[in-house]
Amino acid sequence: TEFFVQIGLVIIAVISWVLIFRKNKWGLVINFATQPFWIFTSYRGGQWIVFYWTILQTAFLLLIYRIRKYKTK
């Protein structure tokens, strides 16, 4: 089952990044929703590079969100 969870996470992450690059606000929402699962599965599996990458990616997404929110005001 963990294999299917990881495949699902990859698919959802790719979809969210496509939406983000198309400047669709739902891309960020979808990606934020997957971050806890990525962090949990990478920590549980001892995949430290993926674990740290996920934390960096989450920080990057928060930065994008803040920049977009600032530009819309």
Side-chain angles (χ1 to χ4, degrees), residues 25 64-73:
K25 66 179 178 181
I64 290 173
Y65 175 75
R66 292 187 67 116
I67 290 171
R68 284 191 178 178
K69 188 175 179 181
Y70 179 74
K71 285 185 176 181
T72 57
K73 287 186 176 182

Side-chain angles (χ1 to χ4, degrees), residues 31-55:
N31 205 311
F32 278 132
T34 63
Q35 294 307 308
F37 298 106
W38 277 106
I39 291 170
F40 175 75
T41 57
S42 61
Y43 179 79
R44 185 173 169 197
Q47 300 171 337
W48 300 112
I49 294 174
V50 175
F51 178 75
Y52 293 124
W53 173 254
T54 304
I55 291 172

Side-chain angles (χ1 to χ4, degrees), residues 1-36:
T1 56
E2 189 158 331
F3 174 76
F4 294 114
V5 170
Q6 290 183 359
I7 294 297
L9 283 172
V10 169
I11 291 169
I12 292 170
V14 169
I15 291 169
S16 69
W17 278 102
V18 168
L19 291 173
I20 288 170
F21 288 124
R22 290 186 176 189
K23 298 184 179 182
N24 187 323
K25 66 179 178 181
W26 290 106
L28 288 174
V29 174
I30 292 170
N31 205 311
F32 278 132
T34 63
Q35 294 307 308

